[in-house]
């Protein structure tokens, strides 16, 4: 169940054509390790998705009020974001930053913590599996139609097998995007979430069981098209990449700050359309910086190839850095074991 919108994640994991795998709810049958409740008990591998030095999925940092109608603040607490009045009803304040009839903010925070702690236990298991195989995992997030699949398809074509890759596709229904990926020759697993509006770590764990991981390669996880709920769920990824089409408006980062705030990289897509739009690119980037001051911003036009070289350079650099860090960790463990013997 999504803690923000209340959707039920009743979907299934659809594998390659002819192979269907039902998704079992968390805690029933499929085990991904202990149900740990300390979300910071294990160090994450280097270059986790939080570029701000704290857990990207901890929602307790906003617990400055015990009720749902306290003072509204901007993304970093820089002052009131707006003033409530008879024509403005804000249910996004308080510790849960949300509202549900019959539930106090405190109770919503408790429910959210319980759900996210279980999800994070699965995410830790996924992260360990990926690190063990030296796989750099990218969680791609965006609203519907921002161009995630197009960027992926063009990226895989340009890589030409130079870097081994695999893809997990998330959608409510159909395997259309996974089929587009498979047409490039890259293995893809489709997760259909049903009424669910995001992927969770348990679903991704199931997919990993059926997806041969490319040693030293890259796993792309294309999340469900949604600017809200996917931001709250750690999948065990190494890095987060948020895409925003230039056709979506300059104020999107301010309207949906969480999905931008937690990104390592923000890609502005469809930039080849800028000459035909009234989009203020300077204002768009300023708004991104307000909620994600440390994230890198790239411009791409996947259909024309604009910016793709820069995107691939970033990808290759992050992969090299990731593998070097994992090698250093392995060498340190080996030295410790030799010294103990």
């Amino acid at each position: 169940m999504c803690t923000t919108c209340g959707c039920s994640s009743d979907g299934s994991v659809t594998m390659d054509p002819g192979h269907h795998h039902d998704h079992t709810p968390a805690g029933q049958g499929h085990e991904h390790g202990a149900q740990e409740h300390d979300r910071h008990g294990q160090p994450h591998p280097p270059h986790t998705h939080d570029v701000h030095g704290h857990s990207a999925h901890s929602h307790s940092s906003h617990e400055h009020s015990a009720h749902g109608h306290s003072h509204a603040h901007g993304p970093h607490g820089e002052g009131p974001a707006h003033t409530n009045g008879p024509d403005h009803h804000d249910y996004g304040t308080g510790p849960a930053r949300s509202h549900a009839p019959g539930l106090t903010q405190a109770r919503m925070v408790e429910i959210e913590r319980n759900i996210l702690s279980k999800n994070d236990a699965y995410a830790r298991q996924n992260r360990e599996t990926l690190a063990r195989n030296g796989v750099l995992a990218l969680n791609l997030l965006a609203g519907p139609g921002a161009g995630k699949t197009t960027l992926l398809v063009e990226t895989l074509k340009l890589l030409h097998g130079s870097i081994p890759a695999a893809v997990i596709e998330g959608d409510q229904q159909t395997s259309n995007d996974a089929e587009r990926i498979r047409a490039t020759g890259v293995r893809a697993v489709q997760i259909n979430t049903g009424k669910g509006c995001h992927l969770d770590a348990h679903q991704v764990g199931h997919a990993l069981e059926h997806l041969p991981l490319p040693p030293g390669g890259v796993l792309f996880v294309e999340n469900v098209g949604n600017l809200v709920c996917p931001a709250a769920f750690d999948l065990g990824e190494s890095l987060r990449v948020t895409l925003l089409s230039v056709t979506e408006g300059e104020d999107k980062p301010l309207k949906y700050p969480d999905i931008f705030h937690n990104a390592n990289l923000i890609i502005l897509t469809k930039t080849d359309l800028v000459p035909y739009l009234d989009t203020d690119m300077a204002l768009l980037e300023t708004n991104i910086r307000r909620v994600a001051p440390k994230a890198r911003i790239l411009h791409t036009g996947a259909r024309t190839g604009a910016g793709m070289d820069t995107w691939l350079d970033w990808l290759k650099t992050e992969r090299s850095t990731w593998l070097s860090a994992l090698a250093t960790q392995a060498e340190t463990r080996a030295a410790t074991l030799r010294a103990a013997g």
Side-chain angles (χ1 to χ4, degrees), residues 12-22 182 187-190 206 209-211:
S12 61
V13 180
T14 304
M15 303 303 162
D16 289 338
H19 187 160
H20 184 272
H21 180 77
D22 288 332
R182 291 172 189 142
R187 183 74 182 273
V189 168
Q190 179 73 50
H206 274 306
E209 294 174 352
H210 298 269
L211 185 65

Side-chain angles (χ1 to χ4, degrees), residues 70-336:
S70 62
H71 299 290
H73 291 272
H76 296 285
E78 65 268 23
H82 44 67
T83 302
N84 282 348
D87 296 324
H88 190 116
H89 301 273
D90 187 358
Y91 297 103
T93 57
R97 300 178 64 194
S98 185
H99 170 74
L103 290 178
T104 65
Q105 288 275 314
R107 176 56 179 156
M108 290 184 70
V109 169
E110 180 183 2
I111 293 172
E112 181 175 2
R113 282 176 170 169
N114 290 339
I115 293 173
L116 292 180
S117 66
K118 292 179 181 179
N119 180 81
D120 286 355
Y122 289 130
R124 282 193 292 272
Q125 184 69 19
N126 293 344
R127 187 169 282 112
E128 291 170 1
T129 298
L130 294 164
R132 191 163 53 246
N133 288 275
V135 174
L136 177 73
L138 304 184
N139 186 2
L140 304 184
L141 306 108
K148 297 189 302 299
T149 309
T150 297
L151 180 76
L152 260 182
V153 168
E154 297 306 316
T155 297
L156 296 172
K157 289 178 181 178
L158 291 170
L159 288 176
H160 289 301
S162 61
I163 295 178
V167 176
I168 294 175
E169 282 287 343
D171 282 301
Q172 289 189 318
Q173 298 294 343
T174 82
S175 61
N176 294 348
D177 289 350
E179 290 167 4
R180 289 177 62 187
I181 297 299
R182 291 172 189 142
T184 70
V186 174
R187 183 74 182 273
V189 168
Q190 179 73 50
I191 298 179
N192 289 138
T193 62
K195 294 181 181 179
C197 61
H198 58 84
L199 294 177
D200 62 38
H202 191 246
Q203 294 167 334
V204 170
H206 274 306
L208 289 176
E209 294 174 352
H210 298 269
L211 185 65
L213 294 172
V218 177
L219 173 68
F220 298 96
V221 181
E222 182 179 343
N223 220 310
V224 178
N226 185 347
L227 287 174
V228 182
C229 305
F233 287 81
D234 182 4
L235 305 180
E237 69 268 17
S238 315
L239 298 165
R240 284 193 166 189
V241 178
T242 295
L243 281 66
L244 178 69
S245 167
V246 296
T247 63
E248 296 181 70
E250 301 94 339
D251 60 350
K252 280 297 188 294
L254 304 182
K255 289 182 175 181
Y256 306 98
D258 287 355
I259 207 160
F260 294 94
H261 177 71
N262 296 327
N264 298 92
L265 177 70
I266 296 171
I267 300 179
L268 300 181
T269 64
K270 306 183 184 181
T271 55
D272 49 306
L273 298 178
V274 170
Y276 311 101
L277 304 171
D278 59 1
T279 302
D280 185 334
M281 295 297 289
L283 177 58
L284 175 57
E285 292 204 23
T286 296
N287 288 339
I288 291 173
R289 291 296 177 207
R290 288 181 61 185
V291 298
K294 296 183 180 181
R296 184 174 177 183
I297 302 173
L298 298 183
H299 294 199
T300 64
R303 292 198 178 278
T304 64
M308 293 299 289
D309 287 344
T310 304
W311 153 241
L312 290 180
D313 287 344
W314 178 89
L315 179 63
K316 292 174 182 178
T317 299
E318 292 297 335
R319 172 177 174 263
S320 178
T321 301
W322 169 260
L323 292 176
S324 295
L326 290 178
T328 299
Q329 290 178 3
E331 291 164 0
T332 300
R333 286 196 301 269
T336 300

Side-chain angles (χ1 to χ4, degrees), residues 59-81:
H59 294 265
S60 59
S61 60
H62 295 278
E63 293 179 22
H64 54 269
S65 169
H67 55 82
H69 300 282
S70 62
H71 299 290
H73 291 272
H76 296 285
E78 65 268 23

